[in-house]
């Protein structure tokens, strides 16, 4: 086990800095200072970074380096050389926290392996914002990123998650949203509660909540635009009743006038058990 403090180390530091996911006013004072003072700012999109800095009224003080999913592996060595030499490198993505479905994961792993300090300037997160606004349970959740694009792979991925009891958070592109919601409805059930969170913190923010079947209809009616986060409620564990419980329910119904055969059929169907077995158990327990 190794421990590296970003504040008590002779080398520099790697900083993951969260950027606004929509509203520029969500930028922290820490982010502003880092952009102005860092030796290197490694940005997913350098043009978007410069546009953000202009809106913030911040002059980027150091070198700006293009750093995205297609060059992260080769650029990591360059980034860590600056850190090892005593410099501060700030990693930013187009929106939100680096390393969450965005560049950053690989360079953090490389820095940890090299024993170099890594820290963060926390801030906006589309995952947590959508989760909080969804109206679904927040005590336990999992982030699943972007679903597979190919229909077969997507269906298999959702099938594996059908029994997941935690609230699930997904990213999705707007042009694939209706197909994804339809696949979710098949795998999870059309009555599973969910929320589609669009354009979070922006002018046209919209949260649409409801059963997946309703959301499929909504998304299919019109082309949904903007940045999308889908939050889906977890599976509800079915209550498993013992044979004695089921027999008691059957006998309770017969006491109020139901025929034994009808009571057995309804209770067996609701519990998902064979009618024949339940009928035999109820018949044996019925007072003579």
């Amino acid at each position: 086990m190794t421990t590296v403090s970003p504040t008590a180390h002779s080398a520099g530091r790697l900083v993951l800095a969260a950027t606004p996911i929509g509203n520029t006013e969500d930028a922290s004072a820490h982010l502003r200072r880092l952009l102005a003072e860092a030796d290197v700012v490694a940005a997913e999109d350098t043009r978007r970074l410069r546009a953000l800095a202009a809106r913030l009224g911040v002059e980027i003080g150091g070198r700006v380096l293009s750093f995205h999913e297609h060059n992260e592996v080769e650029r990591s060595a360059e980034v860590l050389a600056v850190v090892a030499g005593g410099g501060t490198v700030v990693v930013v993505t187009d929106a939100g926290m680096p390393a969450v479905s965005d560049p950053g994961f690989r360079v953090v792993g490389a820095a940890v392996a090299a024993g170099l300090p890594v820290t963060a300037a926390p801030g906006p997160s589309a995952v947590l914002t959508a989760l909080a606004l969804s109206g679904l349970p927040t005590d336990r959740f999992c982030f699943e990123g972007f679903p597979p694009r190919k229909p077969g792979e997507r269906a298999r991925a959702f099938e594996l998650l059908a029994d997941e009891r935690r609230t699930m958070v997904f990213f999705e592109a707007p042009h694939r949203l209706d197909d994804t919601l339809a696949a979710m409805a098949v795998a999870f059930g059309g009555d599973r509660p969910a929320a589609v969170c669009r354009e979070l913190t922006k002018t046209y923010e919209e949260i649409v909540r409801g059963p997946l079947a309703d959301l499929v209809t909504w998304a299919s009616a019109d082309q949904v635009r903007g940045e999308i986060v889908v939050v889906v409620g977890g599976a509800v564990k079915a209550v498993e009743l013992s044979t004695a419980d089921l027999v008691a329910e059957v006998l309770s119904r017969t006491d109020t006038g139901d025929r034994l055969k009808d009571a057995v059929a309804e209770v067996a169907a609701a519990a998902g058990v064979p009618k024949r077995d339940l009928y035999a158990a109820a018949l044996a327990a019925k007072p003579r």
Side-chain angles (χ1 to χ4, degrees):
M1 184 177 71
T2 59
T3 301
V4 180
S5 170
T7 58
H9 197 282
S10 59
R13 58 179 180 154
L14 179 71
V15 186
L16 304 180
T19 54
I21 60 176
N23 191 332
T24 303
E25 293 180 355
D26 292 335
S28 68
H30 193 181
L31 172 65
R32 296 168 188 266
R33 180 169 58 80
L34 286 168
L35 293 179
E37 298 178 359
D39 298 288
V40 173
V41 179
E44 183 179 11
D45 186 316
T46 58
R47 291 172 298 179
R48 291 192 180 188
L49 168 66
R50 294 188 187 283
L52 173 63
R55 293 197 303 274
L56 295 177
V58 174
E59 183 176 349
I60 300 174
R63 179 164 59 101
V64 175
L65 181 70
S66 174
F67 191 80
H68 48 74
E69 61 176 331
H70 302 297
N71 69 7
E72 182 177 2
V73 173
E74 54 265 36
R75 284 283 167 87
S76 289
E78 181 180 351
V79 164
L80 297 186
V82 175
V83 176
T88 295
V89 176
V90 176
V91 177
V92 295
T93 60
D94 293 344
M97 194 69 191
V100 181
S101 269
D102 278 318
F105 168 75
R106 294 179 180 86
V107 71
V108 169
V112 170
L116 295 172
V118 182
T119 188
S125 165
V127 174
L128 296 181
T129 302
L131 179 67
L133 295 178
S134 69
L136 296 168
T138 60
D139 53 337
R140 297 180 68 239
F141 70 93
C142 59
F143 174 59
E144 294 293 331
F146 283 92
R149 297 184 180 185
K150 295 182 178 179
E153 294 179 4
R154 182 170 55 212
R156 286 190 290 273
F158 290 158
E159 184 179 353
L160 293 174
L161 291 170
D163 294 326
E164 173 59 64
R165 298 182 63 191
R166 295 171 294 181
T167 299
M168 297 171 283
V169 184
F170 302 85
F171 287 162
E172 188 51 290
H175 63 278
R176 290 194 295 270
L177 179 62
D178 52 352
D179 289 337
T180 291
L181 290 172
M184 287 177 171
V186 171
F188 305 150
D191 59 347
R192 183 77 70 90
V196 175
C197 306
R198 187 180 73 86
E199 295 289 85
L200 289 170
T201 77
K202 299 178 183 177
T203 301
Y204 298 105
E205 175 181 286
E206 182 179 24
I207 314 295
V208 183
R209 307 174 183 87
L212 280 170
D214 291 355
L215 293 179
V216 171
T217 301
W218 165 76
S220 301
D222 193 16
Q223 176 62 58
V224 181
R225 303 179 185 279
E227 300 291 330
I228 303 291
V229 185
V230 180
V231 186
V232 182
V236 178
K237 184 178 181 181
V239 177
E240 297 180 0
L241 298 176
S242 66
T243 300
D245 293 328
L246 298 176
V247 167
E249 175 63 20
V250 168
L251 296 182
S252 174
R253 294 187 180 212
T254 59
D255 288 343
T256 59
D258 286 0
R259 291 195 310 161
L260 179 62
K261 184 178 179 180
D262 294 338
V264 166
E266 292 179 6
V267 173
V273 299
K275 288 190 295 183
R276 184 173 57 182
D277 294 346
L278 181 57
Y279 184 86
L283 191 61
K286 188 174 177 63
R288 298 186 184 277

